[in-house]
Amino acid sequence: MFNKRVKIKDLLASEARNQEVVVMGWVRTFRNNQFIALNDGSTNNNVQIVVGLGLYDDSFLKRITTSASLKVTGEVVESLGKGQKIEVKAKSIEILGDSDAEKFPLQPKKHSLEFLREIAHLRFRTNTFGAVFRIRHSLAFAVHRFFNEKGFFYLHTPIITASDAEGAGEMFKVSTLPFDNTPRNEDGSINFKEDFFGRATNLTVSGQLEGELAATALSEIYTFGPTFRAENSNTARHLAEFWMIEPEMAFYDIEDNMNLAEEFIKYIIKYAMDNNKEDLEFLAQRMEDEEKQKPQTERSEMGLVEKLEFVINNNFERITYTEAIDILVNSNHYKKKKFQYDVKWGIDLQSEHERFLVEKHFKKPVIVTGYPKEIKAFYMRQNDDGKTVAAMDILAPGIGEIVGGSQREERLEKLESRMREMHIPIEEMWWYLDTRRFGTVPHAGFGLGFERMVQFVTGMTNIRDVIAFPRTPKNAEF
Ligand code: 4AD
Ligand code: MG
């Protein structure tokens, strides 16, 4: 058996002394031909390996370079040096894999995040990305724990679908038809009858519609899977492939929906705070250093950990869309013409508006409800005013929209007439409408963009730095 090692995280936490251990990992630094900082990814902390002077010849020591992989057998002892409680006095060192120092692109210094994106296959070996991906894991685990504790069922919705859940037409097509010599109908259009599924299909933009089918039988479900959007948005918060969590609940109205979303967000943040303390502190320090580069007025008032504590300990602000517009129009920011996009009732809130509301005005997460029906999806429940729908978006400081959700239109006639108005193919959606025909119930749900959540918790400003291999316009490397 090869893997008889102790993980560095466990070793650093253990009280064991003067015992033999085996550790394996990658070299971070090697000082004075004597001290190796070894890291195995279980924690950001390295274990110090002490190489007895004169134990190895020079040609061997030269191979202990940054990112070489080692198996070290040695004795755990109290450390006399500063910065660590223990160290491992090496008895034997085996080089599992050399790393050519001339060619290895990471140096023990700070690299820009942009540069690291170009070597995303190696960026896991940096402190920053180690911390981000351990926290991402914790958040994902907490998602399942939260819903499991509440008796929700994890539903796997299809990746390949024939419907456009959001009706926004931002889909990647899925087809096995040849690009040249594509089979055509008489009118020149593509003959999808000859395609793999016998119809046009695409990658899913949301599992919601299928989620509704299950929720109207199992009561409470959630999905957690990849979703795909071919929107050409080159921003710090858009990906073409992102992960979304979509709970869907029967017997919920919009207020129940808001309550659940708020509780859920607080729960997963708390879980990361309890389980990833060191990584969060590391990222908080990183953020603080970065903030120092910014002018005083742009610096955030709270540190990362402080911000997270504030969010879990305070109620989210709840306002209507109409109130949001009033706040924006009456702001000095608006009067001084500082918004790039105009503000009036009916507009889709731009990210500058969302950020003004959460960062300048309320200084906390905000839930906005009652959006104009024209800017929202066909399935949202129509309010009695005839103008707005029971939509809710949650806006987070530094991120903007992190959750989008709604109470669903459960009344068949109202749903059908809205679909007709919006040119949604009613016949094709017979299966969706059947839930309104057979035992329809008030129900609601929302979608949390997982990467935006990871951004919020880690303080990373670019969404490309919280997913292992980002997919963005003109970029699908690795
Ligand atoms: O607001 P959206 O489009 O809502 C839906 O898809 C609904 N079907 C959800 C539901 O009610 N079940 O997307 C939900 C969230 C957004 O608030 C945002 O956090 C995230 O998904 N999101 C993206 N994240 C990264 N990159 C993109 N291109 C995203 N588009 C949406
Ligand atoms: Mg949305």
Side-chain angles (χ1 to χ4, degrees), residues 334-351:
Y334 178 80
K335 289 174 187 154
K336 289 188 190 150
K337 300 203 176 359
K338 283 198 187 155
F339 289 120
Q340 195 189 334
Y341 295 88
D342 194 22
V343 184
K344 59 170 189 270
W345 203 95
I347 62 152
D348 205 352
L349 295 180
Q350 298 296 321
S351 100

Side-chain angles (χ1 to χ4, degrees), residues 151 217 307 449:
K307 175 190 83 176

Side-chain angles (χ1 to χ4, degrees), residues 86-354:
I86 57 142
E87 57 196 22
V88 174
K89 250 166 66 186
K91 283 190 186 144
S92 85
I93 297 177
E94 188 185 327
I95 296 179
L96 300 174
D98 287 287
S99 170
D100 185 340
E102 301 281 297
K103 294 195 179 127
F104 185 64
L106 288 169
Q107 301 303 321
K109 62 155 201 174
K110 210 167 180 275
H111 292 283
S112 77
L113 296 171
E114 289 77 12
F115 169 71
L116 293 174
R117 253 170 249 152
E118 289 168 17
I119 51 163
H121 60 306
L122 294 173
R123 65 181 178 169
F124 297 110
R125 293 196 194 174
T126 64
N127 283 332
T128 299
F129 287 92
V132 166
F133 287 105
R134 281 187 295 271
I135 292 170
R136 185 179 164 116
H137 161 81
S138 276
L139 290 169
F141 182 75
V143 166
H144 291 298
R145 211 173 94 147
F146 175 82
F147 287 117
N148 188 58
E149 280 172 7
K150 288 207 167 292
F152 282 54
F153 301 109
Y154 181 25
L155 181 76
H156 299 102
T157 48
I159 306 283
I160 300 174
T161 78
S163 61
D164 178 0
E166 292 304 300
E170 293 166 333
M171 299 177 298
F172 289 101
K173 295 185 173 68
V174 174
S175 172
T176 54
L177 290 178
F179 284 122
D180 47 352
N181 226 339
T182 317
R184 302 267 168 189
N185 297 313
E186 269 170 21
D187 64 359
S189 59
I190 294 171
N191 182 3
F192 284 106
K193 289 213 173 67
E194 298 213 3
D195 205 349
F196 189 91
F197 295 106
R199 62 192 300 174
T201 51
N202 52 269
L203 293 178
T204 186
V205 295
S206 156
Q208 178 195 321
L209 302 189
E210 291 90 349
E212 285 185 55
L213 310 181
T216 49
L218 298 166
S219 283
E220 293 169 331
I221 62 93
Y222 70 105
T223 71
F224 186 178
T227 44
F228 307 86
R229 297 204 184 168
E231 50 189 334
N232 205 353
S233 305
N234 239 320
T235 77
R237 31 178 234 136
H238 285 91
L239 290 166
E241 176 179 303
F242 64 98
W243 287 66
M244 184 154 56
I245 297 123
E246 294 186 277
E248 190 70 34
M249 299 76 63
F251 320 115
Y252 264 55
D253 67 10
I254 187 75
E255 201 188 335
D256 301 319
N257 202 22
M258 286 192 267
N259 293 343
L260 182 77
E262 183 168 341
E263 186 188 345
F264 170 53
I265 289 174
K266 288 177 174 173
Y267 180 100
I268 61 176
I269 294 176
K270 172 95 169 46
Y271 185 85
M273 291 184 77
D274 291 344
N275 291 277
N276 298 76
K277 207 165 178 311
E278 279 175 2
D279 285 328
L280 281 171
E281 275 162 11
F282 172 83
L283 292 172
Q285 188 57 53
R286 189 187 171 282
M287 202 170 112
E288 205 179 306
D289 294 344
E290 225 162 59
E291 293 270 309
K292 284 187 192 136
Q293 317 291 323
K294 294 188 190 162
Q296 195 83 43
T297 49
E298 284 172 32
R299 293 185 200 166
S300 51
E301 288 164 27
M302 284 186 216
L304 180 63
V305 176
E306 235 184 320
K307 175 190 83 176
L308 297 176
E309 261 161 15
F310 179 84
V311 167
I312 57 179
N313 291 323
N314 288 280
N315 292 335
F316 294 5
E317 196 68 37
R318 297 182 184 195
I319 59 168
T320 63
Y321 169 89
T322 305
E323 285 163 348
I325 295 292
D326 283 347
I327 291 168
L328 292 169
V329 169
N330 290 315
S331 67
N332 279 330
H333 210 79
Y334 178 80
K335 289 174 187 154
K336 289 188 190 150
K337 300 203 176 359
K338 283 198 187 155
F339 289 120
Q340 195 189 334
Y341 295 88
D342 194 22
V343 184
K344 59 170 189 270
W345 203 95
I347 62 152
D348 205 352
L349 295 180
Q350 298 296 321
S351 100
E352 57 173 351
H353 306 138
E354 297 175 343

